[in-house]
Amino acid sequence: PYITNLSTPKDALHNLTVQSILGDLKIAESFGALGAVVHCGKHVGKGVEYGITRMVQTLDEILKDFDGKTKLLLENTAGQGSELGTTIEELVLIRNYTRFKEKIGFCFDTCHGFAAGILSFDDEGFENFLTKIEKTGYLENLVAIHFNDSKVPFKSYKDRHQKIGKGNIGIEGLTKFLKHPFFKDLPFILETPVEDENEYAEEIKLLHNLRSK
């Protein structure tokens, strides 16, 4: 639920966040899910250092009471407002600071990465991204991909998803990501804006065609 915030300074919202995400993990575990995805915290004006410290405390509080196999997956953010977790380094740092890092993985969102300026699709930028996720240990803990185009330009720090090939990333860039060996065995999840969920069928068919070429 969007109301949750892993870095909130408010005790009531902190308690709600812990119970809500713990509940989601238990539901996900009950049907054998690989992971339950959660957005990183927002420091809401308290500063990055406070936000990361509070987020680590909250993650530890959630995970100390969860012994299932389903992982909590931290999703990279677009950097809107006071969002944390926009960079690969920060996400790895947060995971490493927790007492239960073996219970934490990552979900990478292509729209968020593009909007935050950490994923570009020119040859040099894409190779730099691949090198970074491999060398930092992010890749080995990557469990899922949220696959979306972006309504907003590169490094605009706004979370605005777009249909595949209809946004600022485009078909060529998304195909490069889709077909890279690093991601071939991971689940790809569409979060593109549709008026009718049946529209996803057309996008899924498109992606299968792109991947098979």
Side-chain angles (χ1 to χ4, degrees), residues 116-142:
I118 66 168
L119 172 63
S120 62
F121 291 90
D122 60 277
D123 289 342
E124 183 180 0
F126 191 59
E127 285 303 317
N128 287 342
F129 169 76
L130 296 173
T131 299
K132 184 172 292 184
I133 63 174
E134 186 173 31
K135 286 189 173 180
T136 57
Y138 180 93
L139 180 62
E140 66 192 68
N141 294 292
L142 181 59

Side-chain angles (χ1 to χ4, degrees), residues 31-174:
F31 56 83
L34 291 173
V37 179
V38 62
H39 280 192
C40 288
K42 295 181 178 182
H43 63 73
V44 292
K46 300 283 276 186
V48 171
E49 185 176 351
Y50 171 88
I52 290 176
T53 300
R54 183 64 159 166
M55 187 171 167
V56 169
Q57 291 172 346
T58 307
L59 289 169
D60 283 346
E61 193 171 340
I62 294 166
L63 294 171
K64 70 181 175 63
D65 294 321
F66 180 71
D67 294 321
K69 294 181 180 179
T70 298
K71 290 191 174 184
L72 189 60
L73 306 183
L74 301 179
E75 181 177 354
N76 61 303
T77 61
Q80 195 164 282
S82 63
E83 287 179 334
L84 301 165
T86 57
T87 69
I88 297 301
E89 294 89 344
E90 193 168 76
L91 288 159
V92 171
L93 184 73
I94 291 166
R95 179 181 179 272
N96 287 341
Y97 276 167
T98 66
R99 290 189 289 127
F100 304 99
K101 66 180 184 179
E102 73 282 356
K103 299 180 182 182
I104 296 174
F106 301 115
C107 172
F108 187 80
D109 188 298
T110 52
C111 170
H112 297 175
F114 181 75
I118 66 168
L119 172 63
S120 62
F121 291 90
D122 60 277
D123 289 342
E124 183 180 0
F126 191 59
E127 285 303 317
N128 287 342
F129 169 76
L130 296 173
T131 299
K132 184 172 292 184
I133 63 174
E134 186 173 31
K135 286 189 173 180
T136 57
Y138 180 93
L139 180 62
E140 66 192 68
N141 294 292
L142 181 59
V143 175
I145 305 294
H146 280 178
F147 202 59
N148 314 289
D149 211 324
S150 173
K151 286 184 179 180
V152 295
F154 180 72
K155 217 169 186 179
S156 57
Y157 305 108
K158 292 181 181 178
D159 183 359
R160 302 287 187 273
H161 296 192
Q162 180 58 291
K163 288 185 176 181
I164 301 300
K166 301 294 178 64
N168 285 279
I169 298 175
I171 285 289
E172 185 178 344
L174 289 170

